Amino acid sequence: MTDLKDLYEAYIDCLNARDWARLGQHVHDSVRHNDRPLGLAGYRALLEADVAAIPDLAFKVELLICEPPDLAARLSFTCTPKGEFLGLPVNGRTVSFTENVFYTYRDSKIWTVLSVIDKPAIERQL
């Protein structure tokens, strides 16, 4: 079995390359995001919408903890949302924030995603 760290790093590379055709290699067909059943197509649509709203979105891993089948990551972002982001009027300003995200893997693919974005960090920059 491939190490979860390696699987996750390949997933982050896929996101940063915008290689949506390969997303199914990393994400389970029945993936759930914050307790919502999205499936692979819905998860892909969520990511594509994020990139459309934030063209310079890049995922940077700051901290990674693996305890199979679970993985926890702290991601950091410095990006420029085009308009509103998380209900905030960012409107083209560059902001920095983090996301704490917890994953559970099944069959070597991401099966559940629990994500919390540090919205107060963005609010402080506006």
Side-chain angles (χ1 to χ4, degrees), residues 56-84:
D56 63 347
L57 185 65
F59 296 78
K60 180 182 174 193
V61 179
E62 276 190 11
L63 178 65
L64 191 61
I65 298 172
C66 299
E67 190 171 313
D70 300 311
L71 182 145
R74 180 173 176 89
L75 305 175
S76 65
F77 303 90
T78 297
C79 56
T80 313
K82 293 191 295 189
E84 239 184 47

Side-chain angles (χ1 to χ4, degrees), residues 86-108:
L86 301 175
L88 301 172
V90 179
N91 301 323
R93 286 178 273 193
T94 299
V95 292
S96 296
F97 60 94
T98 58
E99 175 184 17
N100 295 315
V101 61
F102 303 89
Y103 303 88
T104 300
Y105 277 74
R106 178 183 279 182
D107 303 324
S108 298

Side-chain angles (χ1 to χ4, degrees), residues 15-74:
L15 297 183
N16 284 330
R18 314 291 195 255
D19 191 354
W20 309 127
R22 285 188 325 136
L23 191 62
Q25 294 175 16
H26 308 284
V27 176
H28 200 278
D29 288 338
S30 60
V31 67
R32 296 177 64 86
H33 180 268
N34 288 345
D35 294 323
R36 294 175 303 160
L38 293 182
L40 180 58
Y43 192 71
R44 176 178 172 164
L46 179 76
L47 291 167
E48 288 175 329
D50 287 345
V51 170
I54 311 168
D56 63 347
L57 185 65
F59 296 78
K60 180 182 174 193
V61 179
E62 276 190 11
L63 178 65
L64 191 61
I65 298 172
C66 299
E67 190 171 313
D70 300 311
L71 182 145
R74 180 173 176 89

